[in-house]
């Protein structure tokens, strides 16, 4: 009996070490995916801004400050200190929620960009990856996402509710918010990955 | 109340005074840049406008996203003149800041244009630190290893910032840099360096979404001289090559003649008899060609035997069937030979000049023969004289050459033309006369021909028979000659004097040089035709009178005693030619092969 327990413990050790390695690999993949999405968002936003005229730009800037991003309800760390204080799991869950919040609105990004760059499928893939990471790293902690998911429904149509004449403003908002959220997820995932890596120097 | 009025009056008095001095409200300041070195704090700088001649104060106000409150810059000092430093507590990332600078002086204030920034996108780190360059060696070839540290304030360890680096290098005296992207690593190797050169190395970094840092301070490095090692190798190679080249050129020099022969073979000189090279060189082409022309050709006078080229016919009769084929070829060759009329004197077998023994011995006998031959060798005369020898089977290679046997003419003739000096002996082959055959058509009836036959089935006794037959005719001298005839060289030849017509071959007996006077004149027979592969039809000169065909049976096996031709007896009173016109091959001594 003791031997069996011993063997099982060794096995679980091996599995956990394996899982750590798998986790690292998954993190790497997730980080690279979100980096790609972020760069895409940056490019889309820059293209949009360049297509605007100066006066419009100024107006939009003013307006933007007073608007909300749909993902503002998700409370996320806004500086380094807060981020480092958060646990890996928290970071992962926040990331998951942020990505999830863009699953539907991303389809109406400016200029058919969503279809051209296949943003919604990429987001879905990233969500699946983060889910795997959460499963790999959870150790009995309650998941946030389960409780929050039902609440997303009313916000899902936030951008669709805006009128037609504000399409330019809506596009601007969409692109800016999308860019911001992608950057957030990238930062959180990078920090979480570094925290889990065994190497002292995370960047290598 | 009174104080206030006084103050107001004072102010009012002051103000026009100030205006009157030419001062103006400050010019519009400009926010030049805002930068965050580590994504935790940031600083904004502005450029002041004209101050309007009055002391101007600058104040920075900002608005945060979704917050109505206007904040003022918390720190004007840390970052230096005309700057505002936002500490960690005042910095929020992913939050839009709307920043404005206001310049104020006594006359008024001016606001700058607002600037929107997001801290996450204005990151410009400090340059990398502790840049070290060391020279290492890779199989005798040196290379540089550059190593550095990220800027101190950038938190790369927790992954808050991800930095990528870039290295650039140039020679000290040159102007163009060589830039290499190093990625996220902190070490970089540079190869292909100039020996003995001094290089300058710099490094800079950039966050994944941000601005490049400034270049680090220059690091100087000197590459050692490694070229001398390379040099010695080249010297060795050059020396070795030169040495080999010397050897090769010396060898060529030693063998230049043979090489010259090989590459430029000498032009063969003309091999024309009577061609004088010296004459050609002297350039007198007329003389050259005149010399070629033989003075005695075509021979108008009966030529000296020595002057003529020897041509003889060789006919071999094979012993076996297999040999027959072979022989036939030879026969044809023989036939062909007979048609030529200018050939070397050393062609073919059994040169007439080679064996003269019989002739010498039977010189006297020959004389008589000559005489008789001469008689008959008048042009038009047909006499066949034979030099007959004992047919000793001198067959070295299975072919027995026919030995000429000189037959005295059956009918004596009056002496004809004088003996020609140096007349050649007749070279005639004796026909094998089968025993028991009738007397052969006289040899004298036949033209003077030499046929060398090689009869496989030749039996010596036949020839001996013949010789026996002739012994009586010949006389003791002959016999003596015959007895002495087992000469090693039994053959005698007839030379072809010329081919006068298509079907006429003029033959002339050939004898040793200083032998008995050769028979004068010429005896010839006309070749009527070739029948079959081994039959030559000869025509006697007196064909007109009667056809005398001489047929030489060359088939060994078939030695049929052909009817002899009686064409054209040289002497007057020739007998009528035989109807068949064949020459009895028995007339000829045909040595067995």
């Amino acid at each position: 009996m003791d031997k069996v327990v011993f063997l099982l413990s060794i096995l679980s050790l091996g599995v956990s070490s394996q899982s750590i390695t798998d986790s690292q690999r998954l993190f790497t993949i997730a980080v690279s995916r979100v980096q790609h999405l972020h760069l895409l968002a940056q490019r889309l936003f820059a293209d949009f801004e360049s297509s605007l005229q100066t006066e419009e730009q100024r107006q939009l800037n003013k307006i933007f400050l007073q608007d909300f991003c749909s993902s503002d309800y998700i409370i996320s760390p806004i500086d380094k200190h807060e981020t480092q204080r958060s646990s890996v799991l928290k970071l992962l869950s926040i990331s998951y929620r942020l990505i999830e919040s863009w699953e539907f609105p991303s389809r109406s990004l400016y200029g058919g960009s969503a279809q051209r760059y296949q943003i919604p499928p990429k987001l879905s893939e990233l969500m699946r990856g983060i889910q795997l990471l959460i499963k790999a790293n959870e150790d009995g902690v309650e998941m946030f996402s389960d409780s929050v998911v039902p609440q997303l429904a009313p916000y899902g149509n936030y951008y669709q509710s805006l009128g037609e004449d504000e399409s330019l403003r809506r596009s601007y908002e969409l692109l800016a918010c999308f860019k911001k959220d992608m950057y957030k997820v990238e930062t959180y995932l990078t920090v979480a990955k570094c925290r889990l890596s065994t190497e002292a120097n995370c960047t290598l | 109340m009174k104080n206030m009025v006084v103050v107001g009056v004072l102010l009012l008095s002051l103000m026009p005074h100030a205006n009157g001095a030419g001062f103006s409200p400050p010019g519009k300041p400009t926010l030049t840049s805002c930068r965050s070195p580590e994504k935790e704090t940031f600083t904004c700088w502005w450029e002041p406008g004209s101050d309007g001649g009055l002391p101007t104060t600058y104040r920075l106000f900002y608005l945060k996203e979704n917050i109505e409150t206007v904040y003022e810059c918390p720190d004007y000092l840390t970052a230096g003149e005309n700057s505002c430093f936002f500490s960690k507590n005042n910095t929020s990332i992913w939050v839009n800041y709307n920043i404005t600078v206001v310049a104020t002086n006594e006359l008024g204030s001016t606001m700058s244009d607002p600037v929107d920034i997001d801290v996450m996108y204005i990151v410009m780190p400090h340059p990398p630190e502790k840049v070290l360059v060391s020279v290492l060696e890779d199989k005798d070839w040196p290379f540089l290893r550059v190593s550095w540290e990220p800027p101190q304030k950038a938190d790369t360890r927790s992954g808050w910032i991800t930095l990528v680096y870039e290295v650039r290098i140039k020679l000290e005296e040159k102007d163009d840099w060589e830039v290499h992207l190093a990625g996220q690593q902190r070490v970089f190797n540079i190869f292909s360096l100039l020996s003995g050169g001094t290089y300058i190395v710099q490094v800079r970094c950039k966050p994944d979404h941000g601005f490049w840092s400034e270049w680090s301070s220059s690091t100087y490095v000197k590459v050692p001289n490694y070229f001398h090692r390379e040099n010695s190798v080249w010297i060795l190679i050059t020396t070795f090559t030169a040495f080999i080249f010397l050897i090769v050129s010396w060898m060529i020099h030693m063998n230049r003649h043979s090489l010259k022969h090989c590459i430029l073979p000498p032009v063969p000189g003309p091999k024309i008899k009577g061609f004088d090279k010296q004459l050609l060189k002297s350039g007198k082409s007329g003389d050259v060609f005149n010399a070629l022309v033989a003075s005695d050709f075509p021979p108008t006078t009966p030529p000296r035997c020595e002057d003529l080229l020897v041509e003889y016919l060789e006919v071999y009769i094979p012993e076996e069937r297999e040999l027959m084929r072979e022989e036939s070829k030879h026969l044809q060759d023989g036939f062909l030979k007979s048609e030529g009329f200018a050939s070397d004197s050393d062609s073919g077998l059994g040169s007439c000049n080679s064996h003269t023994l019989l002739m010498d011995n039977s010189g006297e006998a020959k004389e008589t023969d000559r005489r008789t031959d001469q008689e008959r060798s008048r042009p038009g005369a047909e006499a066949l004289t034979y030099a007959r020898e004992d047919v000793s089977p001198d067959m070295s290679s299975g072919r027995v050459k026919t030995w000429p046997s000189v037959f005295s003419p059956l009918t004596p003739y009056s002496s004809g033309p004088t003996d020609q000096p140096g007349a050649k002996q007749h070279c005639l082959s004796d026909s094998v006369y089968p025993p028991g055959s009738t007397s052969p058509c006289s040899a004298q009836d036949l033209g003077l021909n030499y046929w060398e036959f090689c009869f496989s089935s030749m039996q010596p006794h036949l020839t001996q028979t013949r010789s026996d037959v002739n012994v009586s005719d010949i006389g003791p001298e002959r016999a003596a000659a015959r007895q002495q005839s087992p000469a090693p060289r039994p053959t005698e030849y007839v030379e072809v004097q010329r081919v006068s017509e298509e079907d006429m071959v003029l033959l002339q007996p050939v004898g040793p040089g200083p032998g008995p006077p050769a028979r004068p004149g010429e005896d010839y027979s006309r070749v009527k035709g070739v029948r079959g592969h081994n039959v030559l039809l000869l025509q006697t000169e007196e064909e007109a009178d009667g056809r005398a065909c001489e047929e030489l049976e060359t088939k060994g096996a078939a030695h049929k005693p052909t009817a002899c031709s009686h064409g054209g007896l040289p002497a007057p009173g020739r007998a009528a030619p035989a109807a068949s016109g064949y020459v009895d091959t028995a007339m000829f001594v045909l040595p067995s092969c």
Side-chain angles (χ1 to χ4, degrees):
Chain A
M1 188 58 193
D2 291 335
K3 280 185 184 174
V4 170
V5 169
F6 181 67
L7 279 168
L8 276 170
S9 62
I10 287 174
L11 210 68
S12 62
L13 248 169
V15 168
S16 62
S17 66
Q18 178 74 11
S19 68
I20 288 169
T21 321
D22 283 344
S23 163
Q24 280 292 307
R25 194 171 55 86
L26 286 168
F27 260 118
T28 311
I29 296 166
V31 165
S32 69
R33 294 280 170 94
V34 77
Q35 266 179 349
H36 170 70
L37 281 164
H38 180 214
L39 287 166
L40 204 58
Q42 266 187 317
R43 182 148 51 109
L44 290 170
F45 186 76
D47 291 345
F48 178 77
E49 267 200 317
S50 60
S51 68
L52 293 175
Q53 302 191 4
T54 326
E55 189 55 42
E56 283 173 322
Q57 248 179 358
R58 218 176 297 147
Q59 280 178 359
L60 284 168
N61 274 337
K62 280 190 182 151
I63 292 161
F64 181 67
L65 282 171
Q66 288 139 23
D67 270 343
F68 293 89
C69 272
S70 65
S71 56
D72 284 346
Y73 71 96
I74 303 169
I75 295 162
S76 54
I78 53 164
D79 62 10
K80 179 184 157 190
H81 183 67
E82 275 185 38
T83 310
Q84 291 197 325
R85 229 178 26 202
S86 312
S87 68
V88 170
L89 209 57
K90 186 179 172 192
L91 291 170
L92 282 170
S93 62
I94 290 165
S95 307
Y96 182 80
R97 282 158 75 183
L98 283 168
I99 300 292
E100 202 185 15
S101 70
W102 279 100
E103 202 175 348
F104 294 104
S106 65
R107 289 169 198 180
S108 49
L109 282 172
Y110 176 75
S113 315
Q115 283 74 38
R116 205 183 316 144
Y117 299 105
Q118 293 184 312
I119 292 171
K122 287 176 184 172
L123 286 168
S124 306
E125 248 186 66
L126 188 58
M127 274 167 57
R128 266 200 301 277
I130 295 171
Q131 262 182 337
L132 285 170
L133 278 165
I134 290 166
K135 281 192 183 122
N137 285 287
E138 67 180 350
D139 41 6
V141 179
E142 274 282 321
M143 286 264 310
F144 288 97
S145 53
D146 297 30
S147 55
V148 173
V149 165
Q151 291 179 16
L152 268 174
Y155 289 98
N157 294 325
Y158 174 77
Y159 290 106
Q160 273 85 14
S161 63
L162 292 173
E164 264 306 316
D165 53 340
E166 294 182 336
S167 61
L168 200 66
R169 183 176 151 182
R170 190 179 123 199
S171 306
Y172 186 86
E173 276 175 5
L174 265 174
L175 287 168
C177 288
F178 183 61
K179 186 174 80 162
K180 188 169 84 170
D181 288 342
M182 289 305 108
Y183 201 174
K184 275 186 182 174
V185 171
E186 186 191 337
T187 311
Y188 297 149
L189 286 177
T190 309
V191 171
K193 177 189 154 197
C194 276
R195 205 176 300 169
L196 286 178
S197 77
T198 51
E199 294 160 14
N201 210 340
C202 170
T203 55
L204 287 176
Chain B
M1 187 66 183
K2 262 189 185 176
N3 289 340
M4 281 182 67
V5 169
V6 169
V7 167
V9 167
L10 269 167
L11 276 169
L12 278 166
S13 62
L14 274 169
M15 274 176 68
H17 180 67
N19 281 334
F23 297 123
S24 61
K28 193 170 162 184
T30 320
L31 272 164
T32 50
S33 66
C34 292
R35 290 284 180 263
S36 165
E38 75 288 81
K39 230 193 264 183
E40 296 166 46
T41 64
F42 72 102
T43 312
C44 281
W45 291 272
W46 64 86
E47 187 70 35
S50 65
D51 58 355
L54 291 166
T56 318
T57 54
Y58 295 91
R59 293 173 73 180
L60 189 142
F61 298 99
Y62 65 92
L63 286 162
K64 273 176 125 174
E65 187 180 307
N66 305 329
I67 298 168
E68 295 282 340
T69 321
V70 179
Y71 296 97
E72 194 181 342
C73 173
D75 189 342
Y76 288 101
L77 303 166
T78 312
E81 192 78 24
N82 296 328
S83 70
C84 176
F85 175 74
F86 292 83
S87 62
K88 277 187 193 177
N89 296 330
N90 298 314
T91 309
S92 307
I93 51 173
W94 297 306
V95 169
N96 260 356
Y97 282 78
N98 190 301
I99 297 169
T100 320
V101 176
V102 176
T104 316
N105 66 5
E106 286 176 353
L107 299 174
S109 60
T110 319
M111 275 178 63
S112 67
D113 289 333
V115 166
D116 285 306
I117 56 152
D118 188 338
V119 178
M120 292 303 268
Y121 292 107
I122 56 160
V123 182
M124 180 170 151
H126 293 301
E129 295 165 6
K130 294 184 192 166
V131 178
L132 290 170
V133 183
S134 51
V135 182
L136 300 173
E137 278 198 6
D138 169 37
K139 294 171 193 168
D140 295 340
W141 302 101
F143 67 96
L144 294 177
R145 172 161 284 175
V146 189
S147 63
W148 57 87
E149 292 289 322
Q152 250 183 350
K153 289 191 180 164
D155 184 7
T156 50
R157 293 190 64 149
S158 64
W160 185 245
I161 295 183
T162 309
L163 293 172
V164 292
Y165 301 95
E166 205 172 64
V167 179
R168 73 175 184 180
I169 183 169
K170 81 173 175 81
L171 275 166
E172 196 177 8
E173 54 270 16
K174 294 283 177 68
D175 287 333
D176 44 347
W177 290 92
E178 191 181 306
V179 181
H180 302 278
L181 191 67
Q184 290 184 24
Q185 64 199 42
R186 305 234 181 95
V187 174
F188 193 76
N189 295 328
I190 300 173
F191 298 90
S192 304
L193 301 165
L194 194 65
S195 161
T198 305
Y199 286 92
I200 302 172
V201 181
Q202 287 181 333
V203 190
R204 68 174 182 179
C205 57
K206 176 179 97 84
D208 41 5
H209 311 281
F211 300 98
W212 280 106
S213 70
E214 295 290 334
W215 287 105
S216 66
S217 55
S218 299
T219 308
Y220 291 83
V221 64
K222 187 161 184 337
V223 179
N225 278 319
Y226 62 89
F227 186 67
H228 64 275
R229 257 177 276 149
E230 194 185 325
N231 217 4
S232 63
V233 169
W234 280 112
I235 287 168
L236 221 86
I237 289 169
T238 313
T239 317
F240 192 62
T241 312
F243 187 61
I244 288 175
F245 180 71
L246 273 169
I247 288 174
V248 168
S249 57
W250 181 77
M251 277 171 61
I252 289 172
H253 176 75
M254 295 303 287
N255 297 329
R256 63 180 181 278
H257 290 299
S258 58
L259 265 178
K260 199 170 145 192
H261 245 271
C262 189
I263 294 165
L264 306 166
V267 178
K271 283 182 190 168
I272 302 169
K273 228 178 166 64
F275 195 82
D276 193 353
K277 270 194 211 168
Q278 297 304 320
L279 215 54
L280 181 67
K281 281 181 187 171
S282 66
K284 297 174 190 167
S285 58
D287 293 345
V288 170
F289 291 114
N290 285 339
L292 278 178
V293 176
S295 55
D296 56 349
F297 188 85
T300 48
T301 57
R304 293 161 57 87
C305 289
E306 302 87 70
D307 295 339
L308 294 175
L309 296 170
V310 178
E311 170 99 356
Y312 59 89
L313 297 166
E314 298 175 358
V315 180
Y316 291 95
I317 296 176
E319 181 160 11
E320 301 291 339
R321 280 260 172 216
E322 296 79 8
L323 291 171
M324 265 167 56
R325 270 186 301 249
E326 184 186 359
E327 309 303 319
S328 63
K329 277 195 290 184
H330 287 278
L331 287 171
Q332 284 177 353
D333 288 342
F335 292 147
L336 289 169
K337 275 185 195 169
S338 68
E339 290 169 10
F341 59 100
S343 63
D344 291 345
S345 58
D346 54 347
S347 67
L349 307 155
S351 171
C352 286
N353 296 324
S354 58
H355 80 112
T356 55
L357 197 59
L358 176 65
M359 296 306 112
D360 287 335
N361 291 334
S362 58
E364 298 165 36
K366 297 293 188 285
E367 271 197 36
T368 44
D369 291 337
R370 295 287 172 275
R371 255 187 232 115
T372 51
D373 289 341
Q374 280 162 22
E375 286 169 6
R376 296 183 288 141
S377 63
R378 291 192 311 263
E382 279 188 347
L384 186 64
T385 55
Y386 300 93
R388 186 174 60 101
E389 289 180 0
D390 204 5
V391 183
S392 56
D394 184 17
M395 17 188 159
S396 50
S397 58
R399 282 172 170 186
V400 176
K401 297 185 184 171
T402 59
W403 303 299
S405 64
V406 178
F407 293 92
S408 62
L410 291 179
T411 52
Y413 295 105
S414 57
S415 62
T418 54
D419 292 350
Q420 290 201 356
K424 309 253 187 323
Q425 290 182 356
H426 301 280
C427 296
L428 291 174
S429 56
D430 298 333
S431 62
V432 173
Y433 188 62
S437 61
T438 57
S439 175
C441 43
S442 342
Q444 71 267 18
D445 299 333
L446 303 174
L448 200 60
N449 295 312
Y450 171 71
W451 307 96
E452 205 171 61
F453 295 93
C454 185
F455 284 92
S456 54
S457 62
M458 254 334 44
Q459 292 115 32
H461 72 273
L462 293 171
T463 57
Q464 293 200 349
T465 313
R466 186 75 196 106
S467 58
D468 290 339
V469 167
N470 280 339
V471 160
S472 57
D473 295 334
I474 294 165
E477 299 88 358
R478 269 308 152 107
R482 190 171 53 76
Q483 311 263 311
Q484 292 166 18
S485 67
R489 316 277 207 140
T491 54
E492 292 182 8
Y493 300 88
V494 158
E495 57 187 353
V496 175
Q497 197 173 347
R498 66 165 190 265
V499 176
S500 56
E501 292 168 15
E502 275 184 355
D503 53 353
M504 186 155 65
V505 175
L506 301 177
L507 300 174
Q508 192 176 7
V510 175
R519 94 169 158 103
E522 30 191 75
D523 295 323
Y524 51 87
S525 62
R526 197 176 289 162
V527 174
K528 192 180 178 186
V530 176
R531 192 178 77 177
H533 292 290
N534 49 12
V535 173
L536 186 73
L537 301 176
L538 298 176
Q539 213 171 36
T540 54
E541 187 62 13
E542 290 73 16
E543 196 73 23
D545 302 334
R547 295 298 121 198
C549 292
E550 297 176 2
E551 180 180 35
L552 302 168
E553 272 300 334
T554 58
K555 272 189 195 171
H559 284 308
K560 315 177 231 227
T562 52
C564 51
S565 66
H566 305 277
L569 294 177
R574 279 187 204 162
S580 64
Y582 286 133
V583 164
D584 189 2
T585 55
M587 307 286 283
F588 300 90
V589 173
L590 302 167
S592 55
C593 297

